């Protein structure tokens, strides 16, 4: 198939736009990760305690972006992708305890450079699947040579137990292409309840340990 000169220019332009957008999302991930590192150092310095166990980040795959646009009834264009897909840049922050999640979310909310667009609290309101996690959709200013570009990032903040459940559930979900047999969905929901119970027990155990330590210091 022969590609006409005009088409070649269009393809070149599209490739440039795609690379430019991906550059912004990658930069936004770097900015947020740096801020999280500083926050974590400050927590360690002030409280001798770090609420962050580990951080993972990813750029959404083109296939997953297209699926989301289609699911929400949008045409597959770069404009729609930037406007309507808010989790192209995603950062997952994993904490030990549920209380750490809210402490961290508060600190993130106070960062002057970040604007919090919206929050989805799937800990207070778990999804039907049993999914629990705290989602913050934020906007980060990226300074380029052409000016500042506000760029969206989704932060998923969860405990180790929530992350374990979600990672496994995600794999199963994809294996069955979203159509898992009822008994598997029910077992997953029951595991989610066990995970929630475990989180509660570990939190109260940690509080009891801290109380003993405080008493010993007095
Ligand atoms: P992937 O592969 O992680 O990218 P919004 O993002 O707010 O515009 P949406 O997509 O309805 O709208 O948001 P929602 O439901 O909060 O989901 C966003 C992300 O949270 C998902 O991204 C998953 O990463 C995670 N998530 C949500 N529900 C579940 C669930 O039931 N199980 C698991 N394991 N993860 C979940 P993607 O695009 O689905 O996938």
């Amino acid at each position: 198939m022969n590609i006409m000169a005009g088409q070649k220019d269009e393809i070149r332009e599209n490739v440039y736009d795609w690379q430019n957008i991906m550059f912004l999302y990658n930069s936004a991930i770097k900015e947020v990760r740096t801020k999280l590192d500083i926050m974590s150092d400050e927590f360690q310095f002030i409280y001798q305690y770090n609420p962050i166990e580990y951080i993972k980040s990813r750029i959404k795959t083109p296939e997953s972006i297209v699926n989301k646009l289609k699911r929400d009834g949008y045409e597959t264009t770069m404009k729609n992708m930037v406007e309507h897909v808010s989790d192209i840049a995603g950062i997952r922050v994993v904490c030990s305890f549920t209380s750490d999640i809210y402490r961290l979310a508060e600190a993130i909310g106070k960062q002057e450079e970040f604007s919090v667009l919206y929050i989805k609290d799937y800990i207070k309101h778990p999804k039907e699947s049993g999914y629990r996690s705290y989602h913050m959709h934020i906007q980060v200013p990226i300074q380029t040579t052409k000016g500042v570009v506000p760029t969206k990032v989704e932060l998923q903040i969860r405990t180790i137990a929530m992350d374990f459940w979600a990672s496994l559930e995600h794999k199963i979900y994809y294996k069955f292409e979203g159509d898992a047999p009822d008994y598997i969905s029910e077992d997953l929901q029951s595991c989610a309840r066990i995970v929630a119970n475990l989180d509660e027990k570990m939190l109260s155990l940690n509080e009891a340990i801290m109380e003993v330590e405080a008493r010993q210091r007095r």
Side-chain angles (χ1 to χ4, degrees):
M1 190 178 71
N2 276 340
I3 299 177
M4 314 277 274
Q7 283 175 309
K8 266 191 194 163
D9 285 346
E10 201 186 318
I11 291 169
R12 222 174 279 136
E13 229 171 81
N14 282 339
V15 169
Y16 176 83
D17 286 348
W18 173 264
Q19 287 172 339
N20 191 32
I21 291 169
M22 288 305 135
F23 154 77
L24 290 170
Y25 286 120
N26 273 305
S27 306
I29 285 182
K30 281 188 198 159
E31 287 272 1
V32 178
R33 284 195 77 133
T34 304
K35 281 265 170 7
L36 287 169
D37 279 346
I38 295 169
M39 262 181 244
S40 145
D41 287 351
E42 195 194 355
F43 270 110
Q44 187 69 50
F45 175 64
I46 297 178
Y47 307 108
Q48 286 80 51
Y49 170 73
N50 182 359
I52 301 174
E53 286 289 334
Y54 53 92
I55 300 174
K56 295 186 256 184
S57 54
R58 65 103 182 91
I59 293 286
K60 209 173 178 68
T61 61
E63 192 195 0
S64 188
I65 295 172
V66 169
N67 286 344
K68 200 160 195 172
L69 283 172
K70 281 190 184 154
R71 184 203 72 181
D72 294 342
Y74 295 109
E75 232 186 284
T76 316
T77 63
M78 278 191 248
K79 188 171 175 284
N80 281 343
M81 162 181 135
V82 171
E83 271 177 27
H84 303 292
V85 184
S86 59
D87 64 343
I88 295 174
I91 298 185
R92 193 164 289 156
V93 188
V94 179
C95 305
S96 296
F97 306 107
T98 317
S99 53
D100 294 334
I101 296 174
Y102 290 102
R103 200 168 296 148
L104 195 64
E106 199 188 332
I108 292 166
K110 282 185 185 157
Q111 292 287 314
E112 266 183 25
E113 284 176 33
F114 298 169
S115 333
V116 179
L117 301 175
Y118 62 96
I119 283 169
K120 286 186 173 178
D121 188 346
Y122 295 124
I123 298 173
K124 290 203 174 100
H125 309 283
K127 287 187 115 172
E128 212 184 312
S129 60
Y131 178 75
R132 289 160 69 243
S133 195
Y134 189 89
H135 291 194
M136 288 183 93
H137 290 260
I138 62 170
Q139 198 155 261
V140 185
I142 301 299
Q143 183 74 55
T144 71
T145 47
K146 288 176 192 143
V148 175
V149 186
T151 306
K152 291 175 194 165
V153 175
E154 183 198 60
L155 277 155
Q156 296 183 347
I157 317 175
R158 43 170 88 150
T159 63
I160 302 170
M162 289 173 199
D163 192 45
F164 172 56
W165 182 94
S167 304
L168 209 61
E169 195 261 2
H170 200 269
K171 270 185 216 148
I172 295 169
Y173 187 86
Y174 278 99
K175 194 161 267 177
F176 291 104
E177 288 172 344
D179 199 19
D182 281 353
Y183 75 94
I184 288 184
S185 302
E186 280 157 20
D187 272 0
L188 279 167
Q189 282 164 3
S190 140
C191 284
R193 283 191 290 276
I194 296 170
V195 162
N197 201 11
L198 176 67
D199 270 335
E200 247 176 65
K201 283 216 158 83
M202 293 307 263
L203 177 62
S204 47
L205 190 60
N206 187 53
E207 281 167 355
I209 292 168
M210 284 185 352
E211 224 175 271
V212 172
E213 282 177 348
R215 233 179 289 138
Q216 282 170 348
R217 273 198 301 270
R218 269 183 237 134

